Amino acid sequence: MEKGMISVDRWEEGSQAYFLSHLHADHTLGLSPVWNHGPLYCTRITARLIPPKFPGFDLSLLRIVDVGRWYPLSLVSVSSGSETNAQFMAIDANHCPGAVMYLFRGEFGTMLYTGDFRWELTCKIAQMGKKMLLSALKNDKVDTLYIDNTYCNPSYSFPTREVAAQQVVNIINSYPEHDIIIGVDTLGKEDLLLYISKMLNLKIWVWPERLQTMHLLGLHDNFTTKTTLTRVRAVPRYSFSVETLEGLNTMRPTIGIMPSGFSWGLKKVGSKDEYSGHFLKETEMDIDFHRNIRNRYTNNIEKHHQYIYTVPYSDHSCFPEIVEFVKFLCPNNVKGIVSSSLSYIDPCYHLRNIYGTSSLYQKHLIEEERERVEGICKSTSDNFTEEKRKKKKDKKVSFVLNV
DNA sequence: GCGATCAGTT
DNA sequence: CACAACTGATCGC
């Protein structure tokens, strides 16, 4: 086994093939207009979005992949010089436009890297993904699953995006005379905006760069940059704040809507202290608990300010979906690709009940013991905070496949 | 002047 | 408060 033949969402020199799951900034750290470390595999949609994000990028490096078919990958062992053959398949990740998971198969075993993904089986795209995984894996087991563990904590649960989208429409309908602003990023949530546009039969204002993105995605009819045409505007999330809303309300009555999976757990479970103790020390966290949380909060809309609503519209899998996904695959190993805050806890900790007294959790305990011995794990809350702060500085995402 | 990293924001 | 995702300031050359 050698290091560094394949990189996924990592861009340092030294790999023979580079895979990009999707074009969000936290997966492209290290990519730049002058990057040229090797062939870059991505979907056609992602490829189309690269030039505006990285002007001057060498497009001859791109290798376009379609979902649902195996591609050969010829790799050379750095030490022995011998060739080894592998295959990979891209599967729609149901996250943002162009986003895929990558399934790899070779003498190193079978690995699945989900990238950011939403395992929402009421959605056709996820159903298709499931079919592709089933037919690709046949009787193979996934040896290592690298999973989007953003919300891999039982506190996180939210409804389907269709339900959340209808909640947004309901809010807008309940303010027929108001302007509406919706916080979005540079990519993603297009389906939400389309749903609003179609249900309310209006165009949605977006900022000029965002309109260009919409056009590259083939969306020409539902968006505009002319403010006078519409009362609904999608604005960059970083410019969406209480101050913004208060400022706008001095001119016209305006309601802000923030579609997001976050704010959907901790404070609902109990006080901060109560919860900290809970997930640090509690030893049996059962599925019933998750289900109760889900049932209680699935359809809540949160109005946390005079002018602002938060709606649980998320492009990441919530905890019950992660559980469903891991149960579906029964991988030998699970590793999280997100290392920040809550989710830095080994996902196996929260997933251990899936296999009962599973090997996953045994591995977690061994890992935990190793960390304890190395003095990484601290037991007091002060030290926990300190550790959390340090962890947040860690590089997020991705892995380097060792072949 | 630049790319990379840090700090701060919703 | 938290998360993902982003911007803008600062650092190092």
Side-chain angles (χ1 to χ4, degrees):
Chain A
M1 299 284 266
E2 306 170 28
K3 191 176 173 172
M5 299 178 88
I6 298 172
S7 291
V8 186
D9 292 348
R10 294 181 63 123
W11 310 102
E12 299 98 336
E13 201 157 12
S15 282
Q16 296 169 48
Y18 293 83
F19 290 82
L20 173 57
S21 67
H22 66 290
L23 253 193
H24 278 152
D26 50 341
H27 290 253
T28 56
L29 294 172
L31 260 191
S32 76
V34 299
W35 184 92
N36 65 350
H37 295 162
L40 191 163
Y41 294 85
C42 66
T43 59
R44 190 172 305 280
I45 292 172
T46 297
R48 196 177 297 152
L49 297 170
I50 284 178
K53 193 172 174 86
F54 301 111
F57 190 92
D58 181 359
L59 300 178
S60 71
L61 295 167
L62 299 183
R63 305 286 182 271
I64 308 298
V65 306
D66 293 319
V67 297
R69 52 161 290 201
W70 286 108
Y71 289 85
L73 197 58
S74 186
L75 303 168
V76 177
S77 161
V78 180
S79 57
S80 69
S82 64
E83 258 195 31
T84 174
N85 289 311
Q87 293 101 44
F88 72 88
M89 179 187 286
I91 294 140
D92 199 306
N94 200 24
H95 175 64
C96 72
V100 284
M101 325 187 211
Y102 289 107
L103 178 64
F104 297 94
R105 192 165 69 181
E107 62 184 36
F108 46 78
T110 301
M111 314 221 184
L112 177 63
Y113 175 90
T114 66
D116 289 348
F117 83 123
R118 178 121 197 218
W119 195 246
E120 185 186 81
L121 288 172
T122 55
C123 175
K124 285 220 160 55
I125 292 173
Q127 290 167 11
M128 188 75 78
K130 185 171 183 176
K131 276 186 194 157
M132 286 178 186
L133 281 169
L134 276 171
S135 72
L137 287 167
K138 300 212 170 63
N139 294 322
D140 266 9
K141 262 276 176 68
V142 170
D143 295 302
T144 304
L145 170 65
Y146 294 85
I147 195 168
D148 171 11
N149 57 316
T150 301
Y151 294 120
C152 190
N153 182 297
S155 301
Y156 287 115
S157 180
F158 19 81
T160 65
R161 286 177 292 193
E162 196 182 341
V163 167
Q166 185 57 48
Q167 291 174 351
V168 173
V169 167
N170 292 344
I171 293 169
I172 298 173
N173 278 335
S174 69
Y175 292 93
E177 304 301 324
H178 282 63
D179 278 8
I180 305 288
I181 66 169
I182 302 167
V184 297
D185 290 318
T186 56
L187 183 64
K189 309 235 160 57
E190 290 74 14
D191 289 345
L192 170 63
L193 299 179
L194 273 177
Y195 185 82
I196 295 165
S197 172
K198 287 172 181 169
M199 293 298 284
L200 302 177
N201 193 29
L202 47 74
K203 290 191 187 228
I204 294 177
W205 180 92
V206 291
W207 63 102
E209 295 80 2
R210 198 53 158 103
L211 186 68
Q212 188 197 3
T213 301
M214 295 303 192
H215 288 171
L216 288 170
L217 296 173
L219 307 173
H220 298 280
D221 302 331
N222 304 276
F223 303 97
T224 179
T225 51
K226 295 198 178 70
T227 319
T228 53
L229 282 183
T230 178
R231 70 184 180 102
V232 179
R233 310 198 293 281
V235 304
R237 191 167 59 175
Y238 64 85
S239 72
F240 183 109
S241 66
V242 170
E243 288 69 30
T244 308
L245 265 298
E246 283 171 352
L248 287 170
N249 272 280
T250 65
M251 333 257 296
R252 297 177 50 78
T254 304
I255 289 295
I257 300 173
M258 181 57 74
S260 172
F262 97 104
S263 103
W264 278 85
L266 295 189
K267 76 179 179 185
K268 297 290 176 66
V269 172
S271 74
K272 193 183 168 197
D273 289 344
E274 187 187 328
Y275 187 68
S276 300
H278 184 66
F279 85 87
L280 280 176
K281 296 184 202 107
E282 178 135 352
T283 50
E284 30 73 46
M285 168 83 69
D286 59 32
I287 301 292
D288 281 345
F289 176 74
H290 320 147
R291 196 168 292 133
N292 287 339
I293 297 293
R294 180 166 205 161
N295 288 344
R296 270 174 74 194
Y297 300 115
T298 284
N299 289 310
N300 277 6
I301 297 166
E302 192 176 339
K303 187 173 189 184
H304 66 100
H305 180 269
Q306 184 183 3
Y307 304 125
I308 299 177
Y309 287 87
T310 301
V311 176
Y313 188 103
S314 171
D315 286 327
H316 294 269
S317 299
C318 63
F319 185 74
E321 291 165 349
I322 291 173
V323 169
E324 196 165 5
F325 188 67
V326 173
K327 273 182 170 172
F328 163 59
L329 287 176
C330 293
N332 295 326
N333 277 290
V334 182
K335 292 180 180 169
I337 63 174
V338 180
S339 66
S340 68
S341 186
L342 278 177
S343 46
Y344 88 85
I345 290 176
D346 190 322
C348 298
Y349 174 76
H350 291 307
L351 296 171
R352 65 193 180 282
N353 289 323
I354 292 174
Y355 304 146
T357 56
S358 77
S359 58
L360 283 182
Y361 188 49
Q362 294 307 314
K363 280 173 189 151
H364 168 83
L365 290 178
I366 292 164
E367 194 71 8
E368 196 176 54
E369 176 65 10
R370 189 182 61 76
E371 289 184 356
R372 195 187 64 75
V373 168
E374 290 171 7
I376 295 171
C377 271
K378 307 284 172 53
S379 55
T380 72
S381 63
D382 280 349
N383 282 336
F384 171 69
T385 308
E386 174 67 11
E387 180 59 23
K388 195 164 77 167
R389 193 186 59 73
K390 276 189 286 190
K391 273 286 180 179
K392 272 200 97 104
K393 291 187 175 179
D394 284 355
K395 278 304 267 288
K396 168 190 188 300
V397 299
S398 78
F399 71 119
V400 178
L401 272 187
N402 300 324
V403 181

